[in-house]
């Protein structure tokens, strides 16, 4: 199996920065896409950013120019640098990874448990 462990969430003032990390471990053969979703109270879970194994990226419109996603393939880790944070960025952030394990010839999407990001205005 595969486990994702997030770190880096917390409380920050508006205009500040946070860096989230998510490390994947377990029976990993390869990782295709890695990324981040977020879910605010009473709202649906939305894609924030994603990055492919070749480092192609996509961002939610509202975070473009403020958030940067990157990954370290050697460490099976994805990062989300969040700058110029706004109160509306407050949410639980979930990382995910589309992984092919050593035990099966297909890919499966795994999720982290989530990390809280709170931006005070």
């Amino acid at each position: 199996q595969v486990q994702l462990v997030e770190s880096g969430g917390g409380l920050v003032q508006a205009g500040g920065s946070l860096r989230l990390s998510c490390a994947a471990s377990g029976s990993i053969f390869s990782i295709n896409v890695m990324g981040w979703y977020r879910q605010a109270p009473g709202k649906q879970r939305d894609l924030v950013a994603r990055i492919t194994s070749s480092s192609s990226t996509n961002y939610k419109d509202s975070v473009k120019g403020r958030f940067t996603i990157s990954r370290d393939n050697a460490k099976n880790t994805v990062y989300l640098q969040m700058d110029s944070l706004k109160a509306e960025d407050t949410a639980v952030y979930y990382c995910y990874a589309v992984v092919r394990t050593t035990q099966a010839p297909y890919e499966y999407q795994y999720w982290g448990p989530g990390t809280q990001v709170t931006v005070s205005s």
Side-chain angles (χ1 to χ4, degrees), residues 32-34 49-59 69 71:
N32 188 351
V33 180
M34 302 185 82
R50 63 189 290 273
I51 183 168
T52 69
S53 56
S54 59
S55 297
S56 176
T57 60
N58 298 96
Y59 293 93
I69 190 169
R71 65 190 279 175

Side-chain angles (χ1 to χ4, degrees), residues 1-119:
Q1 289 297 329
V2 175
Q3 299 80 39
L4 300 183
V5 178
E6 299 133 337
S7 61
L11 173 64
V12 64
Q13 289 188 335
S17 298
L18 283 174
R19 188 189 194 214
L20 305 182
S21 300
C22 174
S25 63
S27 304
I28 297 171
F29 178 80
S30 62
I31 301 179
N32 188 351
V33 180
M34 302 185 82
W36 297 88
Y37 277 72
R38 70 186 184 189
Q39 186 168 22
K43 296 188 177 181
Q44 67 179 18
R45 189 177 295 191
D46 289 333
L47 179 66
V48 176
R50 63 189 290 273
I51 183 168
T52 69
S53 56
S54 59
S55 297
S56 176
T57 60
N58 298 96
Y59 293 93
K60 180 181 178 67
D61 284 346
S62 62
V63 308
K64 286 180 180 177
R66 300 189 297 121
F67 290 11
T68 303
I69 190 169
S70 60
R71 65 190 279 175
D72 184 332
N73 291 328
K75 295 181 178 179
N76 291 332
T77 299
V78 62
Y79 306 96
L80 186 67
Q81 177 66 41
M82 304 185 293
D83 299 319
S84 302
L85 282 161
K86 304 176 180 180
E88 50 263 44
D89 295 319
T90 295
V92 177
Y93 284 69
Y94 299 90
C95 76
Y96 77 96
V98 179
V99 179
R100 179 180 170 183
T101 70
T102 57
Q103 299 162 342
Y106 52 82
E107 295 179 331
Y108 185 79
Q109 185 164 317
Y110 293 88
W111 292 90
T115 185
Q116 177 69 46
V117 172
T118 303
V119 184

